[in-house]
Amino acid sequence: MVEKIITLENIPLLDFLGSENENIRRIADAFPQSKIVSRGNEIRIQGRAPEILRINDVINMLLQHFHRFGHVTPDNVKEYIALEGQPFEENEKNDVILYGNKGLVVKPKSPNQRKLVESAFKNDLVFALGPAGTGKTYIAVALAVRALKNREVKRIIITRPAVEAGENLGFLPGDLQEKLDPYLRPIYDALADMVPAEKLKYYQETRVIEIAPLAYMRGRTLHDAFVLLDEAQNTTSEQIKMFLTRMGPNSKVIITGDQTQVDLPTKKKSGLTEALHILKDVKGIGVVSLSGKDVIRHKLVKSIIEAYEKDESQRDERREAYLRRKSTDGGAA
């Protein structure tokens, strides 16, 4: 029998432990061979060493989650317990992408995020698809920073189409960078988590990290670079073809997008959807789909995504039923 004590320092206990210690009770239920007791700001664990290591890993992941989002829900606990499906030692070695600022450990927090990491290691071109909040962009940025730190590439290039709710850069005030910044705020936030402020500033000034609108990729060959195309659902067919043919020697490319959130003008086909169809049989390309189960945000975000997915499925069913009726009526005529 081994005992471990975890002390929670400068953490509002209700926000972390949950109402009436519900979060800790859920962990205890998942590991019935161990005894887990919370008293004050201490969590006391008693049990066999291998299981204590796994419990410790779950609690550490929850602490990282708390420091990033400010609270922990029972659903979060359930997700992290499910993620802890293999021995702690193997998980710790294989899952960490990089160590960011202030002790931040960046690693996948869901099975599909893990698939994205694995696909990026195996393939030079990866499509990461899924709704907002699934971590696809954050993981992609982490992989890019990791490659730069390990000197696998010489630079990071991050781009996205400047199309949002029918607007484009020309309608916005300011110079190019000021116009583009609002579109790229999630990228800046991710980079700020992973690269010290002074170094990030230096990287941008020396173009080691370059952030530019997609239109500026035309005519370039992107070699020795980790390239991220974000919000690719808003590319046209011509734009995504242009981007894909920019890949140069020793390049890694991740393309992220949410096919349910296309902001292109009506009747304009998404280049992302078309590219996925055209390239479906091309070897060496990874495609990873994330879903509402991968959302690491407020629990309501999952419910919202599920409601929209249900509505879209029902509309598809109604459309198919209408087409079947129309076909039958036409045949009868």
Side-chain angles (χ1 to χ4, degrees):
M1 203 72 155
V2 178
E3 181 175 89
K4 179 176 178 61
I5 298 174
I6 298 174
T7 303
L8 305 176
E9 297 181 354
N10 302 318
I11 292 179
L13 298 182
L14 180 62
D15 292 335
F16 183 78
L17 301 176
S19 177
E20 298 181 351
N21 290 347
E22 181 179 2
N23 294 337
I24 295 300
R25 288 206 314 274
R26 291 212 172 199
I27 298 175
D29 290 342
F31 298 95
Q33 295 182 0
S34 298
K35 183 178 179 181
I36 307 175
V37 178
S38 173
R39 287 198 179 94
N41 69 335
E42 287 187 350
I43 301 173
R44 190 180 298 268
I45 311 167
Q46 294 178 334
R48 294 186 303 109
E51 190 160 279
I52 285 183
L53 287 172
R54 295 180 63 196
I55 295 168
N56 184 68
D57 193 37
V58 170
I59 292 174
N60 281 337
M61 287 191 290
L62 289 169
L63 284 168
Q64 292 165 24
H65 179 98
F66 176 83
H67 288 309
R68 186 173 174 202
F69 299 102
H71 66 279
V72 173
T73 69
D75 284 343
N76 297 145
V77 177
K78 182 179 178 181
E79 290 163 1
Y80 289 119
I81 290 172
L83 184 60
E84 181 48 58
Q86 52 183 301
F88 168 79
E89 295 88 350
E90 185 179 347
N91 236 353
E92 187 66 17
K93 289 177 183 176
N94 293 342
D95 278 1
V96 174
I97 301 172
L98 61 86
Y99 295 93
N101 298 327
K102 300 179 180 178
L104 175 69
V105 179
V106 182
K107 62 182 183 178
K109 296 184 181 297
S110 74
N112 284 328
Q113 287 186 6
R114 186 179 292 167
K115 287 180 184 178
L116 173 55
V117 173
E118 292 170 352
S119 184
F121 286 155
K122 294 176 183 176
N123 302 288
D124 287 338
L125 173 59
V126 177
F127 290 88
L129 314 173
T134 52
K136 57 188 185 296
T137 298
Y138 195 85
I139 293 293
V141 173
L143 289 166
V145 173
R146 178 185 184 277
L148 183 65
K149 285 185 174 182
N150 291 347
R151 300 185 178 180
E152 296 167 10
V153 297
K154 294 180 180 178
R155 54 186 175 150
I156 296 172
I157 299 172
I158 301 171
T159 185
R160 65 180 288 181
V163 176
E164 198 90 13
E167 295 183 358
N168 57 50
L169 289 180
F171 290 98
L172 299 175
D175 59 21
L176 173 64
Q177 196 62 48
E178 290 171 332
K179 289 178 178 182
L180 196 62
D181 279 356
Y183 295 91
L184 292 160
R185 181 46 50 192
I187 305 289
Y188 286 119
D189 290 343
L191 286 170
D193 278 352
M194 303 170 199
V195 183
E198 285 301 314
K199 182 170 282 190
L200 180 57
K201 182 180 178 182
Y202 170 76
Y203 280 159
Q204 289 186 264
E205 289 175 349
T206 56
R207 300 176 75 83
V208 172
I209 295 180
E210 181 181 353
I211 301 174
L214 181 58
Y216 278 48
M217 297 298 106
R218 188 175 299 277
R220 300 179 59 181
T221 300
L222 308 176
H223 57 82
D224 296 315
F226 200 115
V227 189
L228 168 60
L229 171 57
D230 196 35
E231 299 288 347
Q233 75 274 5
N234 289 328
T235 59
T236 64
S237 300
E238 296 80 10
Q239 284 177 325
I240 201 162
K241 180 181 178 183
M242 176 273 293
F243 174 79
L244 288 168
T245 55
R246 298 306 94 198
M247 286 184 69
N250 193 37
S251 288
K252 279 272 190 182
V253 175
I254 295 183
I255 296 175
T256 69
D258 177 4
Q259 292 171 280
T260 68
Q261 293 292 324
V262 178
D263 296 312
L264 291 169
T266 307
K267 296 183 180 179
K268 193 78 171 178
K269 189 173 182 179
S270 168
L272 174 61
T273 301
E274 184 176 80
L276 289 167
H277 173 71
I278 292 172
L279 302 175
K280 64 180 184 296
D281 296 324
V282 177
K283 294 182 179 179
I285 297 177
V287 179
V288 179
S289 296
L290 297 96
S291 68
K293 293 180 181 179
D294 301 291
V295 172
I296 313 293
R297 287 188 180 175
H298 193 288
K299 62 182 180 181
L300 274 178
V301 176
K302 286 188 178 181
S303 301
I304 291 167
I305 291 171
E306 289 170 359
Y308 271 91
E309 288 176 345
K310 181 179 178 181
D311 180 71
E312 185 177 0
S313 176
Q314 290 173 343
R315 281 189 281 116
D316 288 342
E317 290 174 1
R318 289 196 296 269
R319 189 181 302 111
E320 289 175 5
Y322 168 76
L323 291 173
R324 284 196 299 269
R325 289 196 303 272
K326 188 175 180 181
S327 175
T328 303
D329 293 344

